[in-house]
Amino acid sequence: MVALTDRDRQGADPLRRRNRFGRPVGGGVGGGIGGRVGRGWPILLGLLVVLPVLRLLWEAGDPAILTRALAAPATWRAAGNSVAIAAGATLVAALLGGPFALLIGLTGLRGRTAMSFALILPLMIPPQIVAMAWTHLAGSGSPLLAPLGLAPRVGTPNPVQSAAGMVLVMGIEHAPLVFLALRAALRAVPGAMMEAARASGAGPWLAVRQVLLPLCLPGFIAGLAMAFVAALGNFGVPALLGVPAGIPTLPTLIYRRLAGFGPSALPEVAVLAALVGVIACLGIVAQTLLQARIGARLPGGARPLAPLPLGRARRPVEALAWTVLLLVVAAPLAALLATSLVRVYGLPLGAGTLTLGHYAEVLALDQVGRAFANSVLLSGTAAVALGLLAVPLAHAMARPGGAGRVARAIGVLVELPHAVPGVVLGIGCILLFLKPLPGLGLSLYGTLWIILAAYLARFLPLALRPVQAACAALDPTLEEAARATGAGAIRRLLTVVAPLVAPAAAAGGLLVFLTAFNELTVSILLWSQGRETLGVVVYALEEGGSPTLAAALGVVAILVVLAAMLAAGALGRRLPPGVVPWRG
């Protein structure tokens, strides 16, 4: 122990410890100017993230424009379709995601990681590619159903290009949200609760029904809320399945108004986007309240649930589960692959019709090359930037005291651009960046940087959540030891925290890359000539009457997604369960 001199005793601040060299310990973010800066930068970050949403609300608040937009019959027709289809898709998501969460979370089913991967795959694939795959599967020229005599007759409407088809496809796409929410609730249930129920004489399945499911109900409903909001803002599925059937939704109505009238339609379009946001916020509020109930009722941290035995039913249950996944995931993707390989659309796939020419042709297109370069640049930049930004923000959120409370409040705020539908953020970015930036004279409108700004705002929560989990699991004595040697806040962050949470930051960055690489809803509103993204080009090829080329490009995009998912899965072995969604 080092004894204090008289000078140290007289001049020492009792609220500030000093190290052996006489330097104050705990400076930087903890107090003084450093403390104000530490509390100030998260506030600045939160304001920058929500500025597009605030600009949209300002524009939509004009009474004359608000009255005109809300008085139009087309607005309420599209709003009614959006709510009805989103509600139907949420029901399908519950019927698919709920049982899989119970099977994978409660039983000793074999291949649970592979099942989780297959179930989550439709969420990672862009919605326009999912819709395109189902169109090729169910159409009269289906390469899978036509040889079996199960395809619709030539000239008849495609059955998935309907309200029911949109409900089915969006339900399958968003079933992973219900699955993940319910599985997280199951993990939070202490195993002792089930053991107590069993000790009182209840059988395993009676204990599940009467004890476990009521506790997990808030998590299940929170998953339904997330699925509803995601379906409400979905653009790719309604654009490819609803527009040909004459079924408008709010996202497609916004796109058609903006594409037809340009910036002059922005005031009215802002009202439509705000309407989407208001409906979505009702679901967000419900989700937040229910998640708070989960945290209060299911503390977690105890011994997990023991897997329930399936006995003789194990093999039939496994066979049924894999059959469902083959039908809803593998079959449409196989149809997409077959369409990309057939020489002429509509012909059956065989030795005489097999070709790789569509891949060579589509990859040789100038716009495809530009789109790949733009998408890699945008998604890669967003992944790296947000992965780096997430580390200090998550570390600040894990701190006790006032600075930590401010950072946690900002963490809730930055969820808003990701929670609301993409059309809300897209229109907000157009309104915010249409004119040159004050003081700089630079305009982001019509450039790649407006898309990057939207990506940074929208996908920050994806990068932040894994790092939050990693920071919460850190042993606080590690930082205390560095603090005792005189290391300031920044040095502790760089030398202690950052190396330990680097795998989580990398996993978060990969999730950002996965989501942004094929993103469509925001990009379709912000792209300009020569600045296409991959999602925009896939949509344009399908809409332009080139199904085989669009299918080939879609397959390439899926391969990129699979490679990124496998890389994230490899990182997930070093991370806590749940950081990579399909592991653990």
Side-chain angles (χ1 to χ4, degrees):
M1 179 177 293
V2 179
L4 290 175
T5 65
D6 291 339
R7 180 176 179 274
D8 288 332
R9 292 191 184 95
Q10 294 171 3
D13 184 345
L15 298 180
R16 296 191 70 187
R17 292 174 295 160
R18 295 174 181 268
N19 66 7
R20 59 186 295 183
F21 303 107
R23 297 191 184 100
V25 174
V29 177
I33 296 175
R36 291 192 291 273
V37 173
R39 288 188 290 270
W41 76 265
I43 296 174
L44 179 61
L45 173 64
L47 289 175
L48 291 176
V49 166
V50 299
L51 268 179
V53 178
L54 296 177
R55 180 64 180 87
L56 170 71
L57 295 176
W58 177 269
E59 186 72 22
D62 188 307
I65 297 171
L66 186 65
T67 302
R68 185 172 70 249
L70 296 182
T75 299
W76 295 109
R77 183 188 174 201
N81 289 337
S82 293
V83 173
I85 291 169
T90 302
L91 177 60
V92 173
L95 295 175
L96 182 61
F100 269 97
L102 295 176
L103 282 174
I104 293 174
L106 290 180
T107 70
L109 214 62
R110 293 175 298 184
R112 286 175 292 177
T113 299
M115 283 186 184
S116 300
F117 186 94
L119 184 65
I120 292 173
L121 185 59
L123 184 65
M124 298 298 176
I125 297 174
Q128 71 274 18
I129 295 180
V130 174
M132 187 169 59
W134 278 94
T135 301
H136 295 320
L137 174 65
S140 57
S142 171
L144 298 185
L145 300 184
L148 301 175
L150 301 177
R153 294 194 307 272
V154 177
T156 58
N158 192 314
V160 298
Q161 291 180 335
S162 61
M166 294 164 66
V167 166
L168 174 66
V169 174
M170 282 200 284
I172 293 170
E173 184 183 1
H174 299 131
L177 298 174
V178 179
F179 166 77
L180 293 172
L182 182 53
R183 191 182 65 173
L186 289 170
R187 284 177 175 165
V189 176
M193 299 188 71
M194 286 288 289
E195 293 172 4
R198 295 293 304 279
S200 66
W205 297 108
L206 181 62
V208 168
R209 187 171 68 251
Q210 294 188 349
V211 176
L212 189 63
L213 293 184
L215 289 173
C216 295
L217 184 60
F220 179 64
I221 299 176
L224 297 183
M226 290 188 286
F228 176 81
V229 172
L232 185 71
N234 195 307
F235 173 80
V237 174
L240 290 180
L241 302 184
V243 171
I247 304 174
T249 62
L250 283 173
T252 56
L253 180 63
I254 289 171
Y255 170 70
R256 295 181 73 176
R257 293 277 174 86
L258 196 59
F261 299 100
S264 63
L266 277 174
E268 183 179 352
V269 163
V271 175
L272 298 178
L275 180 60
V276 178
V278 168
I279 299 172
C281 281
L282 297 177
I284 296 169
V285 170
Q287 174 191 341
T288 303
L289 294 176
L290 289 167
Q291 286 179 330
R293 289 182 62 189
I294 295 170
R297 296 179 64 182
L298 301 176
R303 181 160 39 85
L305 294 168
L308 296 178
L310 291 174
R312 295 180 178 179
R314 188 185 68 178
R315 289 189 178 181
V317 169
E318 289 175 348
L320 178 61
W322 281 114
T323 300
V324 171
L325 291 175
L326 286 173
L327 290 175
V328 302
V329 178
L333 296 183
L336 183 72
L337 176 61
T339 301
S340 71
L341 294 174
V342 71
R343 192 176 302 277
V344 178
Y345 182 70
L347 291 178
L349 183 63
T353 60
L354 185 67
T355 180
L356 294 174
H358 301 307
Y359 289 89
E361 183 178 354
V362 75
L363 294 177
L365 295 175
D366 290 341
Q367 61 178 341
V368 172
R370 285 197 307 269
F372 259 109
N374 292 338
S375 291
V376 170
L377 174 64
L378 291 170
S379 57
T381 303
V384 172
L386 294 179
L388 294 174
L389 180 62
V391 174
L393 181 57
H395 180 244
M397 293 171 68
R399 291 174 60 84
R405 286 193 293 271
V406 170
R408 286 189 289 274
I410 299 304
V412 174
L413 192 62
V414 300
E415 290 278 349
L416 181 61
H418 184 253
V420 299
V423 293
V424 177
L425 182 64
I427 298 300
C429 284
I430 294 175
L431 292 167
L432 185 64
F433 298 118
L434 185 62
K435 296 180 180 179
L437 297 175
L440 297 178
L442 299 175
S443 176
L444 299 185
Y445 185 71
T447 69
L448 277 179
W449 310 120
I450 189 173
I451 303 178
L452 179 60
Y455 284 2
L456 293 175
R458 184 161 178 78
F459 301 130
L460 175 57
L462 293 181
L464 183 61
R465 290 167 193 160
V467 186
Q468 274 184 275
C471 285
L474 288 180
D475 186 349
T477 59
L478 297 174
E479 272 204 87
E480 288 298 327
R483 187 196 300 267
T485 64
I490 295 178
R491 186 174 180 183
R492 295 196 305 272
L493 178 67
L494 294 177
T495 60
V496 177
V497 177
L500 294 173
V501 302
L510 277 171
L511 292 176
V512 171
F513 182 87
L514 270 169
T515 310
F517 183 72
N518 294 298
E519 196 279 334
L520 179 64
T521 306
V522 172
S523 304
I524 197 71
L525 299 173
L526 301 180
W527 76 280
S528 56
Q529 188 64 37
R531 297 166 183 87
E532 307 92 341
T533 62
L534 191 61
V536 171
V537 173
V538 171
Y539 172 71
L541 287 173
E542 180 70 14
E543 283 291 284
S546 303
T548 52
L549 296 182
L553 189 56
V555 171
V556 174
I558 291 173
L559 292 177
V560 175
V561 168
L562 286 173
M565 288 180 70
L566 292 173
L571 277 174
R573 297 190 185 97
R574 302 174 56 188
L575 301 173
V579 172
V580 176
W582 53 90
R583 291 196 61 86

